[in-house]
């Protein structure tokens, strides 16, 4: 088993991320697998200075390690690799330049849209011969969209069971290279999982629909897809994904408030039935208790009040 921890340094690591990373770590370490670190820092404007260093420091502080000998993939340093893959897709007619703005796509979409945005109706398909042609003829920056063939892309999630999202129907042709010149998440993650020989992807359940898009890319690129284990999200009492509005649950803030690593690992492990209330444990202590058959699919409800008293 080879998997990865892929923090996005767009903000501070919070207890929702900690739960995902702790369970990823347990799942891989309990199986004697290899865990690679990847830094998902492509989301340019949202990447915060210092957040990468803080995230890695928080992971180490919690006792979550990775196999350092495997090296670290830093996505912002892999532009040339992604560009070559994108060029290949365009050359094979599997991706095309698109100059539509976000609001034009919103306006053009006929159906109300789902969580992953409006469906792209294919406005720019067949319009341009190349990225340079698109920019020259419109004076606009151009993105690249992947042609999503009709029909569902099915997979068997290790926790959520059989899934079959239909990218063609849900998002339409999706962006694989952004108009600001960086690879989009879908392309980068597929290319990097392959580069690291990752055969099991563990991540939050918000990315279940993305998996079908990624499988289309694996297919187009002739890559063997990994297996998937999606974990339920941590949500606030309002049912929405844990965020600032639910109070500060960042590891930084909790450390500053006096939380110890075993206290925090214990509190998060409690939400997975792996620790007793008030128990202090290290990830290593939990290895003997971890049983993937006991993972549950329901979202975990927490907010800052669950962390009001440091331990
Ligand atoms: N960096 C992404 C996140 O923090 C994970 C992406 C993935 O696992 O594919 O949500």
């Amino acid at each position: 088993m080879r998997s990865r921890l892929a923090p996005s340094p767009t903000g501070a690591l919070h207890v929702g991320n900690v739960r995902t990373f702790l369970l990823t770590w347990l799942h891989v370490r309990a199986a004697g697998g290899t865990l690679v670190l990847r830094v998902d820092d492509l989301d340019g404007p949202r990447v915060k200075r210092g957040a990468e260093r803080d995230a890695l420091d928080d992971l180490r502080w919690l006792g979550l390690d990775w196999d350092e000998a495997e090296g670290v993939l830093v996505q912002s340093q892999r532009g040339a690799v992604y560009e070559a893959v994108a060029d290949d897709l365009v050359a094979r007619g599997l991706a095309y330049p698109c100059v539509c703005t976000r609001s034009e796509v919103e306006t053009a979409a006929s159906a109300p849209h789902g969580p992953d945005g409006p469906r792209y109706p294919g406005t720019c398909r067949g319009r341009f011969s190349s990225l340079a042609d698109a920019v020259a003829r419109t004076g606009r920056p151009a993105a690249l969209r992947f042609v999503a063939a009709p029909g569902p892309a099915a997979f068997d999630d290790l926790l959520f069971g059989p899934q079959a999202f239909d990218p063609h129907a849900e998002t339409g042709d999706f962006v694989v290279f952004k108009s600001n010149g960086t690879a989009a998440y879908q392309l980068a993650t597929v290319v990097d999982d392959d580069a690291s020989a990752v055969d099991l992807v563990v991540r939050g359940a918000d990315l279940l629909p993305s998996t079908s898009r990624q499988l289309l890319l694996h297919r187009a690129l002739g890559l063997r897809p990994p297996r998937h284990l999606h974990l339920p999200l941590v949500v606030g009492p309002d049912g929405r994904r844990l965020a600032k509005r639910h109070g500060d649950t960042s590891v930084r803030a909790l450390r500053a408030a006096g939380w110890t690593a075993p206290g925090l690992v214990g509190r998060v492990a409690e939400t997975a039935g792996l620790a007793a209330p008030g128990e202090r444990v290290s990830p290593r202590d939990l290895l003997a208790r971890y049983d993937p058959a006991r993972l549950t699919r329901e979202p975990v409800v927490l907010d800052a009040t669950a962390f009001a008293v440091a331990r």
Side-chain angles (χ1 to χ4, degrees):
M1 182 188 294
R2 283 177 69 88
S3 191
R4 67 329 191 251
L5 295 176
S8 298
T10 50
L13 221 65
H14 60 66
V15 297
N17 308 122
V18 172
R19 189 177 194 277
T20 303
F21 290 140
L22 173 63
L23 290 175
T24 304
W25 187 94
L26 287 170
H27 192 85
V28 177
R29 291 293 186 226
T34 300
L35 199 49
V36 181
L37 180 75
R38 187 175 88 203
V39 179
D40 281 5
D41 59 349
L42 278 186
D43 205 351
R46 293 177 58 225
V47 170
K48 308 262 185 325
R49 198 182 291 270
E52 173 186 335
R53 191 196 52 226
D54 288 352
L56 302 196
D57 179 65
D58 286 343
L59 289 172
R60 289 199 182 93
W61 178 79
L62 289 161
L64 301 175
D65 63 350
W66 52 90
D67 294 296
E68 312 233 354
E70 296 288 330
V72 178
L73 286 191
V74 179
Q75 292 196 321
S76 61
Q77 295 170 7
R78 291 175 49 75
V81 177
Y82 308 137
E83 223 166 286
V85 174
D87 286 348
D88 171 58
L89 290 173
V90 174
R92 290 159 57 214
L94 297 172
Y96 59 86
C98 167
V99 295
C100 296
T101 62
R102 197 179 287 260
S103 66
E104 284 169 341
V105 177
E106 297 264 353
T107 311
S110 47
H113 55 77
D116 288 346
R119 180 177 186 279
Y120 182 68
T123 319
C124 286
R125 201 196 271 209
R127 265 181 85 190
F128 308 110
S129 59
S130 67
L131 212 51
D133 177 47
V135 175
R137 281 171 47 199
T138 64
R140 291 185 181 194
L144 292 177
R145 287 185 182 270
F146 178 76
V147 179
F155 60 99
D156 214 348
D157 186 83
L158 294 177
L159 178 58
F160 285 83
Q163 306 287 318
F165 298 92
D166 183 338
H168 177 80
E170 289 159 18
T171 56
D173 298 341
F174 56 87
V175 173
V176 285
F177 219 82
K178 296 191 259 185
S179 61
N180 68 3
T182 59
Y185 160 69
Q186 308 294 354
L187 180 89
T189 204
V190 164
V191 169
D192 287 350
D193 284 336
D194 180 67
S196 308
V198 161
D199 59 13
L200 174 68
V201 166
V202 189
R203 60 188 174 197
D206 53 328
L207 291 169
L208 275 165
S210 277
T211 302
S212 285
R213 277 171 259 165
Q214 290 166 21
L215 289 172
L216 295 184
L217 283 172
H218 277 106
R219 240 177 254 164
L221 298 170
L223 306 174
R224 191 192 158 105
R227 288 171 305 147
H228 293 88
L229 169 60
H230 288 85
L231 298 166
L233 292 185
V234 177
V235 299
D238 57 359
R240 293 164 71 190
R241 186 191 183 141
L242 194 69
K244 285 253 165 65
R245 78 181 84 91
H246 301 115
D248 194 348
T249 64
S250 69
V251 177
R252 290 279 120 180
L254 298 177
R255 286 172 73 168
W259 278 83
T260 64
L264 186 54
V265 169
R267 182 65 190 85
V268 172
E270 221 184 278
T271 69
L274 291 168
E279 197 180 3
R280 294 169 181 238
V281 284
S282 71
R284 218 152 272 287
D285 297 330
L286 296 172
L287 278 174
R289 306 180 194 174
Y290 176 75
D291 175 3
R294 289 181 51 209
L295 290 172
T296 53
R297 299 178 190 175
E298 292 69 40
V300 175
V301 182
L302 282 180
D303 66 5
T305 59
F307 298 88
V309 182
R311 69 162 93 125

